[in-house]
Structure formats: structure tokens, C-alpha cells
Amino acid sequence: MKKYIYLFITGLFLCPAVHAQQDIDGVLKSVETHNKTLQAESRLDKARQLEAHTGNYLSNPTVELNQLWADRSAGGNVNELAVVQGFDFPTVYANKNKLADLKATASGYQYAVSRQQILLSAQQLCFEIIYLHKQKKLAEERAGNAQHLFELYQKRLEQGEANQLELNKIQLEQLNTRNALRLNQIALAAAQEQLQNLNGGEVIAFTTNEYPEMPVLPAYPQLESEYMAQDPGLKDISGQSEIAEREIRLTRAMTLPKFDIGYRRNGGSGESMNGFRIGMSIPLWENKNTVKKAKAQFEYTTAAMEDKVQSLKSYLKQLYQQAKTLSDSREEYKKILSGQQNIELLNKALDAGQISMIEYFTEITTFYESRQNYLDVERECFNVLAQLFQYKL
């Protein structure tokens, strides 16, 4: 009995640890492990690598046994045995092996592209959850202030110091804040559900309400150089170009003669002969236009790579400018908002009768909208930075 009690108590302490709160790095590691798409892509990658190294060996040898019947007067039956091995020109195998290595490497890049996109989605979902937590805190603060005003003006109305229109205005503010909280709750639940889906359906606890430290933007040439050198999508298309170039060499090698060599034995009527067989195929028609096709494929992949490089550079420049603009805007909002105590001052002014209810709501609405704009800018800034630094995932 004591043993079971001990196991039960131990389980109580260990169970919460299973869904312990994770930071963004922990979330990304969990998603990489549990994501169903990545698991399938990993298996597909293994299959593609095996496929790349299939068919690079000698063809199967052939064994022929012939039985010829004849009259005994003509010497009797004749048996013929032939064992033959065919093979391509030696340069074919060298090119096939190099081509297989290139295809295996390209398959790894394709998996890396899928992995990067999924981890980027998970990272941006984490930013969305942090944003929604901040938005919830702001809405709760606004709701608390509206409740305070309602209680204050309800007493004033009873004392004849306020009118029903003012109280109605406050009730509308309460309604708006309650609705904002409901919408926030729905959005937060949806974001957490999406994150759990990316985590392969496994529950993952991410309740962090603060962004990580904002990375410093390096000079654009440095960022572009690092991104272009490490982007798996660019590596993939570059690898396809190398594959197309190697295909040209392989098809040229396959236009060379093929050979077969083997052992041959004839026997019958007490007499047998042993020898060897050598054959050669003459490449006249079978490989017609194969080299032209390989060249056309190479030209296509080269053009596609150039287009990809140009598009990627343009995309990076746009993201870089967005990141700088958003970062500057975020700092401006942060600097101005952090030094203001608008709500406290407005409440004091309203209590002292220095401003009217309409003036109060005009000012406080501007203040809350500014804080919401700050949250929007901050979220967008982190999302853009995540895209700029996705090559590090």
C-alpha cells in the first residue's frame, strides 16, 4: 500500500512537468520532434536518398542454356551454355555515382525547406500568442477602468451630480471592452490550437507574455550574404542546376558503346568446346536527342536559379526596410507611452470636473488606440524579423 501511495504522490509531481511551460526555443524543438508533416518528410527524404542510389550498378548477368536435337547419324544432340555480363562504358558509372550524391544532397535541402517553413510558422504563432496576452492585459485594464467609472457615475447619478447619458456612455465602453475580451479569448484559443496542431497534436504549454530580446539588424550586405549562403531553398535550386549539368555528362557517356562479355560452352556427342563471348552495341538510334534534352533542362534550371536569386534579393530588401521602419516606430511608441500617465491624469481631471465626459472619452480612446497600435507594430516587427532571420532556424 505504501508503495502505491508513493507512486501516486510522485505522479502528482511529475505530471505537471509533462506540460511544463516552454520558451520559444523549447516550442520549436518540440515542434521539430512531433510535427507530422516533418515526420513524413523525413521518411520521404530517406526514400529519395535510397532512390538516388538505385540503378547505379551493373545490370544483371544472363544465363542461357540451349538444347539442340539432331539425328544420331548426324552426330547427336548439342548443348550450349552461355553466361554473359553486360556493362556500360566506364564513365557512365562514374557519372551515375556523382549524380546519385547530388540527388541525395538535394533531397536533404528539400526537407530543410519544409522544416524551416514549419518552424517559422511555429515561431510566428508564439509571437501571436504573446501579442494576444499583451492585448488581453490591455483590454482587462480598460475594462477595469470602465468598471471604476461606472461605479463612480452610478453614485453621482443617485446624488444628482451626473446624468443618464453619461452613464450610458460608460455602459457602452463596458460593452466594448467585454466584447474585446471575448474576441481576444477566441483568437488566443485558436492560436494555441494551431500551435498544438503544428506540434503533432501534442499539448504544448506556451503562456509567455513577453517577447524575446529583439535581434540587432546587421548591415544589409552582411544580412544578404548570410541569408543567400544558408537559405535551403536557394541551395535546393542550385543543387538542381548541378544535377542538370551532371545529367548532360551522363547522357553523353551513355551515347558511347555498351559491352558484354561472358563464358560460352558447346558440347555434344562426347565432344565439347569452351570459349568466351564479347559483344558491343553500336549507339545509332536509342539515345537520339537525349543530350539535347539534358542541355535544355540545364538551361531551364540555370534560368530558374537566376530568377530565384533576383527575387530573393528583392524580397530581402523589402523585408529589411520594413524591419527598420517598424523597429523605429516601435521605439518611438515605447518612448512616448512609457513616460505618460494619461489614465491617472484623466481620472483626476474628470473627478475634479476639469473635463467633461465627452472630452474624457475622446482622450482615453486616443490613448488606448495608441497603445493598441504599439502592440500591432511590435507584433509585426517581430514577424518581419523572424522572416529575415529564418535561415538560422
Side-chain angles (χ1 to χ4, degrees), residues 59-225:
S59 59
N60 295 324
T62 59
V63 179
E64 296 179 2
L65 178 62
N66 299 318
Q67 177 76 48
L68 304 178
W69 290 276
D71 294 334
R72 291 183 179 275
S73 60
N77 299 339
V78 176
N79 300 319
E80 183 180 69
L81 172 68
V83 180
V84 180
Q85 174 66 60
F87 57 91
D88 292 305
F89 206 81
T91 54
V92 170
Y93 299 103
N95 282 294
K96 278 186 174 181
N97 288 329
K98 291 178 180 178
L99 184 61
D101 292 338
L102 289 173
K103 287 183 176 180
T105 302
S107 177
Y109 291 146
Q110 291 165 22
Y111 170 79
V113 170
S114 297
R115 173 187 170 276
Q116 185 183 87
Q117 289 302 313
I118 288 172
L119 293 186
L120 176 61
S121 297
Q123 188 180 50
Q124 290 181 320
L125 270 175
C126 289
F127 292 154
E128 180 69 13
I129 291 171
I130 293 171
Y131 163 79
L132 290 170
H133 280 305
K134 286 177 172 287
Q135 188 184 59
K136 179 183 178 183
K137 183 178 179 182
L138 180 62
E140 287 174 341
E141 178 186 316
R142 189 169 184 175
N145 186 61
Q147 181 63 28
H148 169 73
L149 284 175
F150 178 76
E151 294 171 357
L152 176 64
Y153 268 75
Q154 195 171 37
K155 290 180 181 179
R156 287 187 176 183
L157 181 64
E158 294 170 357
Q159 296 169 359
E161 298 176 358
N163 58 58
Q164 187 62 45
L165 289 176
E166 291 175 323
L167 193 63
N168 290 346
K169 183 72 174 178
I170 296 171
Q171 287 177 321
L172 287 175
E173 174 70 4
Q174 285 182 307
L175 178 61
N176 290 334
T177 55
R178 285 197 299 269
N179 185 58
L181 283 169
R182 291 191 195 102
L183 294 176
N184 176 271
Q185 185 178 6
I186 293 171
L188 187 57
Q192 290 172 335
E193 180 67 25
Q194 291 177 52
L195 187 60
Q196 181 175 329
N197 183 53
L198 282 180
N199 198 44
E202 299 288 331
V203 176
I204 185 166
F206 181 76
T207 56
T208 302
N209 54 16
E210 292 296 335
Y211 291 103
E213 185 178 352
M214 182 170 287
V216 178
L217 268 179
Y220 177 75
Q222 178 186 345
L223 177 68
E224 181 188 278
S225 176

Side-chain angles (χ1 to χ4, degrees), residues 107-347:
S107 177
Y109 291 146
Q110 291 165 22
Y111 170 79
V113 170
S114 297
R115 173 187 170 276
Q116 185 183 87
Q117 289 302 313
I118 288 172
L119 293 186
L120 176 61
S121 297
Q123 188 180 50
Q124 290 181 320
L125 270 175
C126 289
F127 292 154
E128 180 69 13
I129 291 171
I130 293 171
Y131 163 79
L132 290 170
H133 280 305
K134 286 177 172 287
Q135 188 184 59
K136 179 183 178 183
K137 183 178 179 182
L138 180 62
E140 287 174 341
E141 178 186 316
R142 189 169 184 175
N145 186 61
Q147 181 63 28
H148 169 73
L149 284 175
F150 178 76
E151 294 171 357
L152 176 64
Y153 268 75
Q154 195 171 37
K155 290 180 181 179
R156 287 187 176 183
L157 181 64
E158 294 170 357
Q159 296 169 359
E161 298 176 358
N163 58 58
Q164 187 62 45
L165 289 176
E166 291 175 323
L167 193 63
N168 290 346
K169 183 72 174 178
I170 296 171
Q171 287 177 321
L172 287 175
E173 174 70 4
Q174 285 182 307
L175 178 61
N176 290 334
T177 55
R178 285 197 299 269
N179 185 58
L181 283 169
R182 291 191 195 102
L183 294 176
N184 176 271
Q185 185 178 6
I186 293 171
L188 187 57
Q192 290 172 335
E193 180 67 25
Q194 291 177 52
L195 187 60
Q196 181 175 329
N197 183 53
L198 282 180
N199 198 44
E202 299 288 331
V203 176
I204 185 166
F206 181 76
T207 56
T208 302
N209 54 16
E210 292 296 335
Y211 291 103
E213 185 178 352
M214 182 170 287
V216 178
L217 268 179
Y220 177 75
Q222 178 186 345
L223 177 68
E224 181 188 278
S225 176
E226 292 178 359
Y227 194 108
M228 304 291 282
Q230 299 184 47
D231 178 57
L234 196 58
K235 288 182 178 180
D236 178 35
I237 196 167
S238 177
Q240 295 301 325
S241 181
E242 292 181 15
I243 288 172
E245 184 179 13
R246 180 59 60 176
E247 288 277 9
I248 295 175
R249 299 185 186 184
L250 176 60
T251 51
R252 281 175 176 166
M254 293 183 72
T255 60
L256 297 173
K258 298 181 180 181
F259 303 93
D260 56 63
I261 186 169
Y263 164 76
R264 185 171 180 177
R265 180 180 183 277
N266 288 339
S269 302
E271 182 179 351
S272 63
M273 292 185 294
N274 297 289
F276 63 90
R277 169 184 168 179
I278 296 178
M280 181 180 72
S281 68
I282 301 173
L284 294 179
W285 305 289
E286 183 179 1
N287 294 320
K288 186 177 181 181
N289 292 328
T290 54
V291 175
K292 291 181 179 179
K293 176 187 174 183
K295 285 182 177 179
Q297 182 65 31
F298 173 69
E299 291 172 358
Y300 163 75
T301 54
T302 301
M305 185 176 69
E306 292 174 355
D307 179 64
K308 173 72 174 179
V309 169
Q310 186 62 36
S311 298
L312 187 56
K313 287 182 177 180
S314 176
Y315 170 72
L316 285 176
K317 285 180 180 178
Q318 293 176 37
L319 282 181
Y320 190 84
Q321 291 301 323
Q322 287 181 39
K324 287 191 67 177
T325 301
L326 288 167
S327 180
D328 292 343
S329 297
R330 175 179 177 267
E331 288 302 318
E332 288 178 6
Y333 270 111
K334 186 177 180 181
K335 182 179 179 181
I336 293 174
L337 291 174
S338 63
Q340 293 187 356
Q341 301 294 329
N342 291 44
I343 297 177
E344 183 180 348
L345 294 174
L346 284 171
N347 285 337

